Amino acid sequence: GENVEQHPSTLSVQEGDSAVIKCTYSDSASNYFPWYKQELGKRPQLIIDIRSNVGEKKDQRIAVTLNKTAKHFSLHITETQPEDSAVYFCAASKGGSGNTGKLIFGQGTTLQVKP
Amino acid sequence: NAGVTQTPKFRILKIGQSMTLQCTQDMNHNYMYWYRQDPGMGLKLIYYSVGAGITDKGEVPNGYNVSRSTTEDFPLRLELAAPSQTSVYFCASSLRQAAGELFFGEGSRLTVL
């Protein structure tokens, strides 16, 4: 089955710096790659996603890149702010007919943005 | 819409006891999931369902059971609770078969002593 590895497990940056979190996946048939943010004591919430027919997607200060050949994808946060402090999870799933769309998550990255 | 509602939010069980975590959603989503979250381990899929009457195992199904008699409800049953089942449990639902946003409940923190 699918396996998703996420690095680093913790990341500390100064406010205003950029943060990059990387994930690799094992199943070359996976074609949907979302990122979830979980604030302390809260539920995970989707922040951005990318499909396999796209190499990069941006939404304001966050961007995701996908390299299907290497089977890895990354989350980039620019101009970090203290409210970006949270746990970030990457995930992968297979879409299309006959697939359930079940998401397999990475282990999570705890991002701390220091003021 | 209330979204995905889980109960209870907190529960302490003794070893060997059984309980059911309730999950209901009012978004008419066909797809529902149960995840457990342990520190440093991410979210592990326990069971999932693609529609009423259909369930399947995820990554870590041992010690759990589910049922899906209606579109709205997807309860998770723990039989003979063990300390290894101490975790935070999240129920989630999605509209699309794949490549769709998961909507999570608030979570249920379970401690087995």
Side-chain angles (χ1 to χ4, degrees):
Chain A
E2 176 66 279
N3 184 50
V4 178
E5 296 287 333
Q6 182 172 347
H7 299 280
S9 57
T10 60
L11 180 60
S12 181
V13 300
Q14 287 295 134
E15 182 176 359
D17 286 351
S18 296
V20 180
I21 303 169
K22 299 181 179 182
C23 289
T24 60
Y25 60 98
S26 60
D27 190 341
S28 56
S30 290
N31 55 15
Y32 175 64
F33 308 94
W35 287 87
Y36 283 78
K37 176 184 180 182
Q38 185 180 30
E39 296 176 352
L40 190 62
K42 301 285 183 65
R43 73 191 84 188
Q45 291 190 298
L46 179 71
I47 55 171
I48 195 167
D49 57 14
I50 192 167
R51 288 160 174 74
S52 59
N53 58 347
V54 176
E56 183 176 358
K57 183 177 179 181
K58 275 187 174 182
D59 183 3
Q60 298 183 337
R61 295 186 298 108
I62 60 173
V64 57
T65 58
L66 171 65
N67 183 328
K68 286 216 73 177
T69 303
K71 291 191 284 187
H72 67 71
F73 57 112
S74 300
L75 177 71
H76 304 254
I77 306 174
T78 59
E79 300 172 21
T80 53
Q81 300 167 4
E83 52 265 38
D84 294 329
S85 296
V87 180
Y88 292 81
F89 293 99
C90 62
S93 73
K94 288 184 285 191
S97 176
N99 290 309
T100 61
K102 58 181 181 179
L103 276 177
I104 302 300
F105 284 85
Q107 298 91 331
T109 296
T110 300
L111 173 65
Q112 180 188 29
V113 179
K114 293 186 264 189
Chain B
N1 286 354
V4 179
T5 303
Q6 288 180 237
T7 57
K9 287 186 170 53
F10 303 93
R11 182 74 185 267
I12 298 175
L13 279 181
K14 293 182 180 178
I15 294 172
Q17 287 185 319
S18 299
M19 75 159 295
T20 299
L21 296 175
Q22 302 291 344
C23 176
T24 188
Q25 51 92 9
D26 62 358
M27 297 175 284
N28 203 30
H29 287 173
N30 279 329
Y31 302 89
M32 295 189 75
Y33 312 84
W34 274 106
Y35 286 90
R36 60 176 286 173
Q37 183 176 28
D38 302 309
M41 297 297 291
L43 293 150
K44 294 293 187 184
L45 182 63
I46 305 171
Y47 270 95
Y48 63 98
S49 170
V50 301
I54 306 169
T55 62
D56 207 348
K57 296 177 181 178
E59 302 170 273
V60 290
N62 291 345
Y64 307 94
N65 273 303
V66 294
S67 59
R68 185 94 183 271
S69 57
T70 67
T71 298
E72 294 78 19
D73 300 308
F74 190 41
L76 178 71
R77 177 86 177 158
L78 281 73
E79 304 281 1
L80 299 175
S84 60
Q85 293 178 304
T86 294
S87 189
V88 178
Y89 292 84
F90 285 97
C91 179
S93 72
S94 65
L95 175 63
R96 297 171 63 179
Q97 176 188 19
E101 179 177 2
L102 288 190
F103 293 87
F104 285 88
E106 290 185 317
S108 299
R109 182 175 294 275
L110 176 67
T111 302
V112 182
L113 300 174

